[in-house]
């Protein structure tokens, strides 16, 4: 039987996550999938581990970032769909089956985001699809809320590439993951591009995966991550918004940057955030800006509506989390 999906696992010094991740894949109820690991020049024994077990792999000589690694995997794949799966995840047995079922519901679906639950706090959500806002803030829908919720399938702004399925042929139309991003916000960027071209990104609550989180970078906030995310945020807006939309949204975007600066100053990363913004503004002209087409005007208007909705949803979920903390005292 011809396989429908290739599971691509990017790896950089993730040996400690390999065993549980592959054990979970071996337990999948749907066995009809290819597997491909793209190693980003690991030096922790990952290469030897993969070779000893004859796991199909591509061994890159240096770290090309998340974007570079998954692009190599997508180009190697020959199946209609690809699942991108972080090495620090453990999918439930029906994960692959439910992901394939979800993306096959409509040819308009580019990607499907899974129900990601925190591995060490299984009562809490990690991600129910990624969202974007007028403030230029990307965020994980549902993060920190009860994992008993988020049971309904719905459209999201973008799939979280830590555990998502994609329609491979669409990459040929919209382009792959932007390697200038290296890592961070690259999944929002590719989901944004897909929406410009009229495709949908969905959330599937029946495809469950447990996620460690920050398995490669090592922490939620660090200098490298803050700087790179700030730079990529500039790229994201410059590339995907036509100049008129950028002008209309400039006020909220600047307000979002200012609030983020205050937050990072509070936790000691203000200089890293500013350096990232400077780099982004300096090099944005080199980014691959999506060419405006009048045929996409309706899609841009829908996206603007989604940015407004994303802002409202962020505020709602933020205060809902704060209220939960307050009630716990």
């Amino acid at each position: 039987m011809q396989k429908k999906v290739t599971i691509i696992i990017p790896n950089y010094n993730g040996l400690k996550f390999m065993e549980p991740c592959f054990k979970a894949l071996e337990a999948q109820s749907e066995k009809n999938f290819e597997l491909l690991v793209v190693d980003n020049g690991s030096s922790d024994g990952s290469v030897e581990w993969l070779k000893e077990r004859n796991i199909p792999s591509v061994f890159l000589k240096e770290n090309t970032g998340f974007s570079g690694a998954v692009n190599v995997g997508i180009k190697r794949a020959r199946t209609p769909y690809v699942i991108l799966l972080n090495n620090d995840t453990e999918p439930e047995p029906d994960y692959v089956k439910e992901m394939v079922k979800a993306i096959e519901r409509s040819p308009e679906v580019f990607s499907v985001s899974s129900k990601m639950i925190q591995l060490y706090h299984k009562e809490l959500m990690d991600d129910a699809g990624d969202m974007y806002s007028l403030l230029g803030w990307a965020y994980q829908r549902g993060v920190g809320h009860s994992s008993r919720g988020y049971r309904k399938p719905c459209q999201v702004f973008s799939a979280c590439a830590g555990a998502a399925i994609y329609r491979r042929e669409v990459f040929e139309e919209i382009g792959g993951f932007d390697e200038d991003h290296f890592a961070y916000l690259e999944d929002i960027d590719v989901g944004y591009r897909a929406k410009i071209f009229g495709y949908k990104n969905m959330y599937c609550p029946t495809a469950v995966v447990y996620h460690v989180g920050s398995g490669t970078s090592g922490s939620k906030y660090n200098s490298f991550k803050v700087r790179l995310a700030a730079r990529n945020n500039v790229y994201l807006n410059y590339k995907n918004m036509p100049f008129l939309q950028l002008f209309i949204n400039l006020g909220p975007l600047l307000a979002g940057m200012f609030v983020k600066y205050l937050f990072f100053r509070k936790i000691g990363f203000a200089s890293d955030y500013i350096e990232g913004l400077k780099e982004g503004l300096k090099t944005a002209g080199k980014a691959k800006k999506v060419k405006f087409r009048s045929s996409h005007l309706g899609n841009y208007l829908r996206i603007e509506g989604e940015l407004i909705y994303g802002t409202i949803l962020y505020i709602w979920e933020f205060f809902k989390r704060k209220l939960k903390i307050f009630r716990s005292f």
Side-chain angles (χ1 to χ4, degrees):
M1 185 182 296
Q2 185 179 1
K3 291 180 171 58
K4 289 185 176 182
V5 62
T6 301
I7 299 176
I8 300 167
I9 301 177
N11 177 66
Y12 177 65
N13 290 336
L15 179 61
K16 62 183 177 180
F17 301 118
M18 293 291 203
E19 201 75 52
C21 182
F22 280 90
K23 187 177 179 181
L25 289 176
E26 288 172 5
Q28 290 298 301
S29 59
E30 174 58 72
K31 306 292 184 183
N32 189 31
F33 62 83
E34 300 281 357
L35 183 62
L36 180 65
V37 177
V38 182
D39 186 82
N40 249 335
S42 294
S43 57
D44 68 338
S46 293
V47 172
E48 293 75 16
W49 190 91
L50 291 165
K51 287 181 176 178
E52 285 171 7
R53 287 156 181 78
N54 293 316
I55 294 172
S57 304
V58 177
F59 301 105
L60 304 179
K61 292 182 179 179
E62 58 184 10
N63 186 2
T64 62
F66 179 89
S67 299
V70 298
N71 279 346
V72 168
I74 292 167
K75 288 173 184 175
R76 294 284 185 106
R78 293 294 177 265
T79 51
Y81 314 116
V82 293
I83 286 177
L84 304 185
L85 189 66
N86 280 6
N87 53 19
D88 63 340
T89 58
E90 296 179 25
E92 284 197 346
D94 286 338
Y95 170 77
V96 173
K97 182 181 75 173
E98 292 298 319
M99 290 296 264
V100 172
K101 188 191 299 182
I103 201 168
E104 287 189 327
R105 289 196 175 110
S106 170
E108 294 181 348
V109 176
F110 165 58
S111 69
V112 179
S113 200
S114 61
K115 183 173 184 176
M116 300 179 76
I117 295 173
Q118 297 180 30
L119 181 64
Y120 300 132
H121 299 280
K122 293 184 179 178
E123 73 282 6
L124 298 176
M125 288 293 300
D126 181 63
D127 195 301
D130 286 347
M131 303 298 287
Y132 199 49
S133 71
L134 282 177
L135 298 168
W137 297 351
Y139 62 96
Q140 300 152 260
R141 190 174 76 103
V143 65
H145 293 284
S146 172
S147 57
R148 289 178 294 180
Y150 298 89
R151 296 178 179 179
K152 295 181 180 179
C154 63
Q155 283 197 53
V156 291
F157 194 87
S158 171
C160 172
I165 190 169
Y166 296 85
R167 192 176 302 273
R168 190 172 62 85
E169 65 179 11
V170 176
F171 287 110
E172 298 172 10
E173 181 181 359
I174 70 171
F177 285 83
D178 190 341
E179 296 183 22
D180 287 338
H181 276 236
F182 190 81
Y184 308 120
L185 300 180
E186 70 290 318
D187 46 4
I188 295 283
D189 172 62
V190 80
Y192 201 140
R193 264 183 282 140
K195 296 180 87 63
I196 292 172
F197 280 77
Y199 292 98
K200 297 176 181 178
N201 303 304
M202 305 298 295
Y203 164 67
C204 177
T206 53
V208 179
V209 61
Y210 300 101
H211 184 218
V212 174
S214 301
T216 297
S217 63
S219 60
K220 186 175 181 180
Y221 298 113
N222 56 62
S223 294
F224 174 77
K225 189 172 182 179
V226 170
R227 181 181 60 79
L228 213 58
R231 184 199 69 177
N232 292 348
N233 197 216
V234 176
Y235 289 171
L236 177 64
N237 295 318
Y238 171 78
K239 288 168 52 185
N240 295 298
M241 290 187 187
F243 288 113
L244 179 59
Q245 190 179 22
L246 266 175
F247 178 76
I248 292 171
N249 293 335
L250 185 60
L253 289 172
L254 290 176
M257 289 179 185
F258 180 67
V259 173
K260 270 197 172 183
Y261 167 75
L262 293 178
F263 170 75
F264 285 124
R265 187 175 70 173
K266 184 178 180 181
I267 63 173
F269 292 108
S271 60
D272 300 297
Y273 181 67
I274 293 297
E275 285 302 310
L277 290 178
K278 286 181 179 177
E279 184 181 349
L281 292 169
K282 184 178 179 181
T283 59
K286 299 177 182 178
K288 307 176 187 74
K289 189 169 178 66
V290 178
K291 186 177 180 180
F292 175 80
R293 300 180 187 176
S294 57
S295 59
H296 290 163
L297 182 58
N299 298 334
Y300 283 114
L301 292 174
R302 278 188 287 272
I303 289 169
E304 188 70 12
E306 289 190 46
L307 295 176
I308 295 169
Y309 171 74
T311 308
I312 296 169
L313 181 64
Y314 178 87
I315 295 169
W316 164 250
E317 290 200 340
F318 175 81
F319 281 108
K320 194 176 176 183
R321 280 194 302 270
K322 293 297 181 184
L323 183 61
K324 180 182 175 182
I325 294 170
F326 176 77
R327 285 176 174 174
S328 66
F329 286 100

